[in-house]
Amino acid sequence: QVQLVESGGGLVQAGGSLRLSCAVAVSISSFASMSWYRQAPGKQRDLVAKITVGGATNYGDSVKGRFTISRDNAKNTWYLQMNSLRPEDTATYYCSAQHIAWGPYWGQGTQVTVSE
């Protein structure tokens, strides 16, 4: 079993920044990909950002140019740097990982609220 522990959510004003972290107790090199998703009340869960084991990234259209996904193999952690936050970014953010053979695994979610 793999546990994903999220941190870094909170309340921020529009235009501000937050950095989310997702930490695991296993080598992230064992994951084919690592991702961030978000879900607002009444909305579907959408892909925010994804990074593959090879380092390729992709982003949801609404966050391109504002959010950056990265990883730290030594810390077994991946991050979502969120800049220029907007009220419509308000959601519960979930980290996720796809193992080569198992998964996907999901974090518990962390709330991000962006005020006017």
Side-chain angles (χ1 to χ4, degrees):
Q1 185 179 10
V2 177
Q3 288 186 315
L4 282 60
V5 180
E6 300 183 39
S7 62
L11 175 65
V12 65
Q13 291 185 339
S17 298
L18 286 173
R19 188 180 73 164
L20 307 183
S21 300
C22 189
V24 298
V26 299
S27 173
I28 62 173
S29 296
S30 64
F31 296 131
S33 65
M34 294 151 284
S35 301
W36 290 94
Y37 289 76
R38 68 186 182 187
Q39 187 170 27
K43 300 292 185 70
Q44 67 178 8
R45 185 174 295 187
D46 292 328
L47 176 69
V48 176
K50 179 181 179 180
I51 185 167
T52 70
V53 66
T57 59
N58 53 65
Y59 297 90
D61 288 341
S62 64
V63 308
K64 289 179 180 176
R66 300 188 296 123
F67 291 9
T68 303
I69 188 169
S70 62
R71 65 188 178 192
D72 187 331
N73 290 334
K75 295 181 178 179
N76 293 323
T77 302
W78 62 102
Y79 306 94
L80 184 69
Q81 179 66 47
M82 304 183 293
N83 298 325
S84 301
L85 282 162
R86 305 165 180 169
E88 52 263 43
D89 295 319
T90 295
T92 301
Y93 284 70
Y94 299 89
C95 58
S96 181
Q98 177 64 55
H99 189 270
I100 189 68
W102 306 102
Y105 301 102
W106 292 94
Q108 80 279 9
T110 185
Q111 179 66 35
V112 172
T113 302
V114 184
S115 64
E116 294 287 350

